[in-house]
C-alpha cells in the first residue's frame, strides 16, 4: 500500500492472488483495482485479503475451501467484497483459511477447518465468516498453515488448530478446534 492508499502486487499469480484481474504472474509492481482507500493487506496460501479505510473487507485469489468468505468456492481474479459490513479492523490469511477482527472486538473465521484452525468448535469448512466464540475482546489475529493465534485486549495469547509440531505453544501435541490460552 502506497501513501496515497493505492494497492500494488507482484509475483506468482496462478489463482489470481495478486488481484490484478488475470492469473498471469508479474515481476514488477502492478496496481490492484482503481481504489485508493486501502488501509491494510495480508496474504494467505494463494489468496489475499484487504481492509479499506471505511472498514469494508475484500478478498481475492484461490477459494477451493471458501477462504475468500464470499459464500461460494470460485476463485476471484480481482478483489470482491466479503459481506456488506463496514466494521472490519484487520484480517489475516492462512494456507486455506482466513480470520479477521471487527471493530467491536469480535473474531471471525472462514475457509478450511480440517485441523480446527477456524476455532469454531467443529471440523467443518465454511465459505462465509463465522464468529469464533462470543467474546468481544480480541485485538489481533495471525493465521498459519493449519493453525491460528490471536491476542486479546488483556494481553493474553490464544491458539487453536494444527499442532503436530507444537506450534500452538499450549504444552500438548493435540489439535484443538477452539481457542486455548497459551
Amino acid at each position: 500500500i502506497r501513501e496515497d492508499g493505492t494497492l500494488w502486487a507482484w509475483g506468482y499469480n496462478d489463482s489470481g492472488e495478486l488481484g490484478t484481474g488475470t492469473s498471469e504472474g508479474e515481476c514488477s509492481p502492478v496496481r490492484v483495482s482503481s481504489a485508493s482507500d486501502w488501509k491494510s493487506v495480508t496474504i494467505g496460501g494463494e489468496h489475499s485479503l484487504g481492509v479499506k479505510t471505511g472498514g469494508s473487507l475484500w478478498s481475492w485469489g484461490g477459494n477451493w475451501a471458501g477462504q475468500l468468505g464470499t459464500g461460494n468456492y470460485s476463485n476471484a481474479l480481482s478483489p470482491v467484497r466479503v459481506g456488506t459490513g463496514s466494521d472490519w479492523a484487520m484480517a489475516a490469511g492462512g494456507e486455506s483459511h482466513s480470520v479477521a477482527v471487527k471493530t467491536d472486538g469480535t473474531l471471525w473465521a472462514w475457509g478450511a477447518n480440517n485441523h480446527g484452525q477456524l476455532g469454531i468448535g467443529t471440523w467443518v469448512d465454511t465459505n462465509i465468516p463465522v464468529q469464533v466464540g462470543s467474546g468481544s475482546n480480541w485485538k489481533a489475529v495471525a493465521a498459519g498453515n493449519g493453525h491460528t493465534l490471536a491476542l486479546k485486549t488483556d494481553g493474553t495469547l490464544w491458539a487453536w488448530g494444527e499442532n503436530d509440531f507444537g506450534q500452538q505453544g499450549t504444552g500438548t501435541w493435540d489439535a484443538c478446534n477452539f481457542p486455548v490460552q497459551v
Side-chain angles (χ1 to χ4, degrees), residues 12 15 43 52-53 73 81 173 176:
Y12 190 72
S15 297
I43 58 170
K52 291 190 174 184
T53 56
Y73 296 96
R81 190 164 180 175
W173 302 102
C176 188

Short mmCIF file of all heavy atoms in Angstrom, two decimals, residues 12 15 43 52-53 73 81 173 176:
data_model
loop_
_atom_site.label_atom_id
_atom_site.label_comp_id
_atom_site.label_asym_id
_atom_site.label_seq_id
_atom_site.Cartn_x
_atom_site.Cartn_y
_atom_site.Cartn_z
N TYR A 12 3.96 -14.55 -8.20
CA TYR A 12 3.19 -15.68 -8.72
C TYR A 12 1.71 -15.35 -8.62
O TYR A 12 1.28 -14.69 -7.66
CB TYR A 12 3.53 -16.92 -7.90
CG TYR A 12 3.00 -18.21 -8.45
CD1 TYR A 12 3.54 -18.77 -9.60
CD2 TYR A 12 1.96 -18.88 -7.81
CE1 TYR A 12 3.06 -19.96 -10.10
CE2 TYR A 12 1.47 -20.07 -8.31
CZ TYR A 12 2.03 -20.61 -9.45
OH TYR A 12 1.54 -21.79 -9.95
N SER A 15 -3.65 -18.45 -9.03
CA SER A 15 -5.05 -18.45 -8.58
C SER A 15 -5.66 -17.06 -8.55
O SER A 15 -6.75 -16.88 -8.03
CB SER A 15 -5.15 -19.08 -7.19
OG SER A 15 -4.74 -20.43 -7.22
N ILE A 43 -1.70 -11.66 3.15
CA ILE A 43 -1.72 -12.76 2.19
C ILE A 43 -1.89 -14.09 2.89
O ILE A 43 -1.52 -14.25 4.04
CB ILE A 43 -0.44 -12.79 1.33
CG1 ILE A 43 0.80 -12.93 2.21
CG2 ILE A 43 -0.36 -11.56 0.46
CD1 ILE A 43 2.07 -13.21 1.46
N LYS A 52 -10.32 -1.79 3.72
CA LYS A 52 -10.28 -0.40 3.26
C LYS A 52 -10.49 0.54 4.43
O LYS A 52 -10.94 0.14 5.50
CB LYS A 52 -11.34 -0.18 2.17
CG LYS A 52 -11.01 -0.90 0.88
CD LYS A 52 -11.93 -0.48 -0.23
CE LYS A 52 -11.51 -1.10 -1.56
NZ LYS A 52 -12.35 -0.62 -2.66
N THR A 53 -10.17 1.81 4.24
CA THR A 53 -10.25 2.78 5.32
C THR A 53 -11.67 2.91 5.88
O THR A 53 -11.84 3.23 7.05
CB THR A 53 -9.76 4.17 4.86
OG1 THR A 53 -10.52 4.57 3.72
CG2 THR A 53 -8.28 4.14 4.52
N TYR A 73 -17.26 -21.11 -3.82
CA TYR A 73 -15.93 -21.73 -3.90
C TYR A 73 -15.23 -21.36 -5.21
O TYR A 73 -14.34 -22.06 -5.65
CB TYR A 73 -16.05 -23.25 -3.76
CG TYR A 73 -16.58 -23.64 -2.39
CD1 TYR A 73 -17.93 -23.90 -2.21
CD2 TYR A 73 -15.73 -23.72 -1.30
CE1 TYR A 73 -18.42 -24.23 -0.96
CE2 TYR A 73 -16.22 -24.05 -0.04
CZ TYR A 73 -17.57 -24.30 0.13
OH TYR A 73 -18.05 -24.61 1.37
N ARG A 81 -15.94 -8.02 -2.39
CA ARG A 81 -16.28 -7.64 -1.03
C ARG A 81 -16.78 -8.85 -0.24
O ARG A 81 -17.57 -9.65 -0.74
CB ARG A 81 -17.33 -6.54 -1.03
CG ARG A 81 -17.53 -5.94 0.33
CD ARG A 81 -18.24 -4.63 0.28
NE ARG A 81 -18.41 -4.12 1.64
CZ ARG A 81 -18.92 -2.95 1.90
NH1 ARG A 81 -19.31 -2.16 0.91
NH2 ARG A 81 -19.05 -2.55 3.15
N TRP A 173 0.51 -31.81 22.12
CA TRP A 173 0.67 -32.05 20.68
C TRP A 173 -0.70 -32.21 20.02
O TRP A 173 -0.78 -32.53 18.84
CB TRP A 173 1.51 -33.30 20.42
CG TRP A 173 2.86 -33.23 21.05
CD1 TRP A 173 3.26 -33.83 22.21
CD2 TRP A 173 3.99 -32.50 20.60
NE1 TRP A 173 4.56 -33.53 22.50
CE2 TRP A 173 5.05 -32.71 21.51
CE3 TRP A 173 4.23 -31.68 19.50
CZ2 TRP A 173 6.31 -32.14 21.36
CZ3 TRP A 173 5.49 -31.12 19.36
CH2 TRP A 173 6.51 -31.35 20.27
N CYS A 176 -6.68 -28.67 18.37
CA CYS A 176 -7.82 -28.17 19.14
C CYS A 176 -8.66 -27.30 18.23
O CYS A 176 -8.12 -26.46 17.51
CB CYS A 176 -7.30 -27.37 20.34
SG CYS A 176 -8.58 -26.91 21.47
#
